Amino acid sequence: MFEFDWQGFLTLLLSAVASLFCITFHELSHGYAAYRLGDPTAKRAGRLSLNPIRHVDIFGFLMMMVAHVGWAKPVPVNPGYFKDPKRGMALTALAGPASNFLMAGLALILGSLLFWFGPDGQWVAYMLLFLCYTAVLSVGLGLFNLIPIPPLDGAKIFYAVLPDRLYRTMLRYERYVWFVVLILAWRGVFSGPLDFCIGKVVRGLCGLTRFPFPLMQYYFGF
């Protein structure tokens, strides 16, 4: 007789919700940074929102759940509003990964408090698992986007130090490079190095927050 795997379903659901949190916070941070720098484009497009439907890209969302790296629909940004377009784009790009590392730290602080001072119970175990997923997926999203390959955030940060002529050339061709990035991500080219880096960063954050890293090892095999 078929028995539905409720534990597996709940684990998948926790991973999905954590992925949506990470993606939403990442894109919202891009849009808010651009808005603070003088660009109202994201606000006019309704992207300064905590509604994940406004940000999620289905394929990037599935990649986050499967490979712990992914992406969302890019927030529209018009660098013409910035006083210094290259600097404005770099700061806007940096806001996304920075927000993910902040979210990971906050998740582990909450997890540490819950682990050391919370009550026993199954709901506590699931909450700890959710916070672990949030931390790991946040770190993965942040690190992936720091890769200096267009159109990832790392490339836009790197553009800030390029001469204007080379900067414009890179912007012209980044849409074509994105197809290559998609293929590489689908083939798992980034998975090995990123998993290694994710483990190192998560270990460091666990040390700072006193969250038990062996629990991360148990869940994710770091």
Side-chain angles (χ1 to χ4, degrees), residues 19 22-27 30 60-61 63-64 68-75 89-90 92-101 136-159 178 181 185 190 194 197-198:
S19 297
C22 298
I23 289 172
T24 300
F25 198 45
H26 180 100
E27 293 303 322
H30 280 317
F61 170 69
M63 286 295 293
M64 274 201 69
H68 297 167
V69 296
W71 53 88
K73 291 187 292 187
V75 165
M89 286 299 294
T92 299
L94 182 61
S99 71
N100 287 128
F101 296 131
V136 170
L137 292 172
S138 290
V139 170
L141 185 61
L143 289 175
F144 178 66
N145 275 277
L146 284 176
I147 298 174
I149 301 176
L152 298 176
D153 298 329
K156 294 181 174 66
I157 297 169
F158 176 66
Y159 289 167
W178 180 231
V181 174
F190 301 109
L194 272 175
C197 293
I198 291 170

